[in-house]
Amino acid sequence: MHLGRTTLSKFLIQQLKGSPEQNDLAALLVDIAAAVKAISAMTAKGALAGVLGSMEQVNVQGETQQKLDVLSNEAFINTFSMGGLVAGLASEEMDAPMEIDPQDGSGRFLAVFDPLDGSSNIDVNVSVGSIFSVLRAPQGRTATIDDFLCPGRQQLAAGYAIYGPSTMFVITVGKGTHGFTLDREVGNFILTHPHMEVPADTSEFAINASNERFWEPPVQRYVNECKAGRNDVRARDFNMRWIASMVAEIHRILMRGGVFMYPRDTKDPGKPGRLRLMYEASPMSFIIEQAGGVGSTGRERLLDVQPSDIHQRVPVIIGSRNEVERIERYHREYDSGMDEKYTSPLFQERSLFAN
Ligand code: F6P
């Protein structure tokens, strides 16, 4: 198919024509793309720009900040501060939301973002990304934390950038999921992947298997069945991948299907999961649902989860429809005691890797 040269700006003008809010949303997405270009340039230079390595500080998550985490956060804050479209922002790298000084009247939007996701991969030169979510700001008053804490189904736009062999920008405004590739020489994002679709079936799953002993029985059941392959209930062999970069995993799933899991586990009883609801799970669920996939906690649609905290963590099971729905069924069967095999204490003794 001949795609021509549809730039991001041209595409957004077409998708978001109409109300003043839609026009502003288009302008905001162009601003976000500008921050992404700056981060892409920094990540591409790597050691040459002296941006690798860690800071001597931890973020609100208790994780050591990489230099690029901080620089990427600044790139987003600068963009939002100067654009005049955003009234407030919240980031993985900041304890509390930040108000943006109104320029000509207050901005229409709130932005929530993870400026550099998967940053443990930076120093080993593996793909990382940025994730963002756009919410509606209250008009006529300053935004409060409660204005940020709305379920993901209320997002106006969401997306991510992946800094891989090529830099891509993948977005949704609720009218499908569309991917753009950065033409570095010209500095434009070009529409290369319109209407991305996640195949309903897959034979590929992604999970950090070192946590197997902490998983709940429904997830152990699912992964054991995949591993057992063609001679067991699944009647086919499965492949496993783990990049430790949610953006890269979700991108792979958008390209060829799959299921990505960071499920509830008992590793740290204070945390119901590892990933953050507002700037990881929610925007990625919006993207995946708009491409025909499903995002779930195992027990609830991710886009319906009511946040109680900006940095809240949540179990994540996301990807190809038929696999995610199967895992949801395993949770229901386990919770209702229907699945005796997997509610039995004996099952807890089984190891994922025992033959
Ligand atoms: O921020 C979370 C994150 O880096 C994700 O991008 C990734 O999927 C996950 O953590 C990796 O976790 P782990 O280090 O346990 O493999």
Side-chain angles (χ1 to χ4, degrees):
M1 182 176 56
H2 179 63
L3 294 172
R5 295 281 287 184
T6 301
T7 61
L8 176 69
S9 313
K10 184 172 161 190
F11 175 85
L12 289 171
I13 289 167
Q14 284 163 358
Q15 267 222 333
L16 290 169
K17 57 179 171 237
S19 67
E21 180 182 84
Q22 299 253 303
N23 295 341
D24 279 359
L25 186 57
L28 178 63
L29 289 164
V30 170
D31 278 354
I32 294 174
V36 160
K37 285 180 210 168
I39 298 168
S40 172
M42 286 191 284
T43 53
K45 283 196 184 120
L48 296 176
V51 294
L52 302 187
S54 57
M55 311 284 287
E56 282 171 3
Q57 60 195 47
V58 293
N59 65 12
V60 64
Q61 317 295 333
E63 294 161 351
T64 305
Q65 282 181 311
Q66 306 293 311
K67 286 183 195 160
L68 267 174
D69 283 327
V70 176
L71 293 167
S72 306
N73 198 45
E74 282 168 7
F76 274 106
I77 292 176
N78 289 344
T79 297
F80 294 136
S81 305
M82 292 184 307
L85 296 163
V86 166
L89 54 86
S91 159
E92 183 190 20
E93 303 303 332
M94 292 155 37
D95 291 7
M98 176 178 153
E99 190 192 344
I100 304 284
D101 272 346
Q103 298 185 343
D104 310 318
S106 65
R108 286 177 193 278
F109 306 111
L110 302 176
V112 186
F113 55 98
D114 181 351
L116 206 63
D117 183 68
S119 53
S120 66
N121 279 329
I122 295 169
D123 287 352
V124 289
N125 203 7
V126 172
S127 295
V128 288
S130 305
I131 310 173
F132 69 89
S133 164
V134 179
L135 305 167
R136 192 171 276 124
Q139 292 303 290
R141 63 169 175 84
T142 308
T144 65
I145 289 212
D146 286 345
D147 294 309
F148 284 89
L149 299 180
C150 50
R153 60 174 183 272
Q154 291 180 18
Q155 292 171 100
L156 299 176
Y160 66 81
I162 179 166
Y163 312 109
S166 58
T167 290
M168 284 191 67
F169 190 50
V170 176
I171 56 166
T172 184
V173 294
K175 298 177 186 175
T177 294
H178 309 278
F180 301 80
T181 303
L182 181 61
D183 182 337
R184 288 179 202 273
E185 281 73 44
V186 184
N188 270 339
F189 275 109
I190 305 297
L191 180 65
T192 48
H193 297 69
H195 297 287
M196 298 165 98
E197 275 178 41
V198 179
D201 289 304
T202 182
S203 296
E204 200 161 68
F205 66 98
I207 194 163
N208 182 343
S210 69
N211 293 327
E212 180 249 345
R213 66 191 183 282
F214 303 113
W215 299 337
E216 291 187 289
V219 172
Q220 295 193 356
R221 172 185 176 184
Y222 175 77
V223 172
N224 274 321
E225 287 177 358
C226 291
K227 280 172 51 25
R230 71 179 76 167
N231 297 325
D232 202 75
V233 290
R234 299 311 306 273
R236 66 182 195 270
D237 290 336
F238 279 74
N239 190 21
M240 194 183 94
R241 287 282 180 271
W242 189 248
I243 307 174
S245 165
M246 187 190 195
V247 172
E249 317 273 8
I250 294 292
H251 192 68
R252 184 187 62 247
I253 288 170
L254 278 166
M255 291 294 130
R256 66 179 191 212
V259 58
F260 167 83
M261 291 169 274
Y262 219 117
R264 178 181 296 278
D265 65 33
T266 56
K267 195 172 184 178
D268 179 346
K271 296 177 186 168
R274 170 152 171 47
L275 302 180
R276 275 51 65 106
L277 173 60
M278 296 214 56
Y279 40 82
E280 291 179 320
S282 269
M284 289 309 202
S285 289
F286 192 16
I287 287 272
I288 286 285
E289 280 200 6
Q290 284 292 315
V294 178
S296 172
T297 65
R299 296 182 168 90
E300 184 181 6
R301 180 187 180 216
L302 274 165
L303 291 182
D304 286 339
V305 176
Q306 172 63 53
S308 54
D309 183 272
I310 294 276
H311 300 289
Q312 176 175 342
R313 297 178 192 257
V314 72
V316 173
I317 297 165
I318 191 168
S320 291
R321 170 168 297 280
N322 292 338
E323 293 304 301
V324 177
E325 288 180 352
R326 173 183 284 267
I327 301 166
E328 288 179 319
R329 173 164 64 80
Y330 288 3
H331 281 80
R332 281 196 302 278
E333 289 177 3
Y334 173 70
D335 291 348
S336 63
M338 272 168 64
D339 192 339
E340 278 176 31
K341 182 175 167 198
Y342 290 94
T343 49
S344 142
L346 273 180
F347 174 74
Q348 318 288 333
E349 306 294 315
R350 288 176 51 180
S351 160
L352 175 65
F353 294 108
N355 287 316

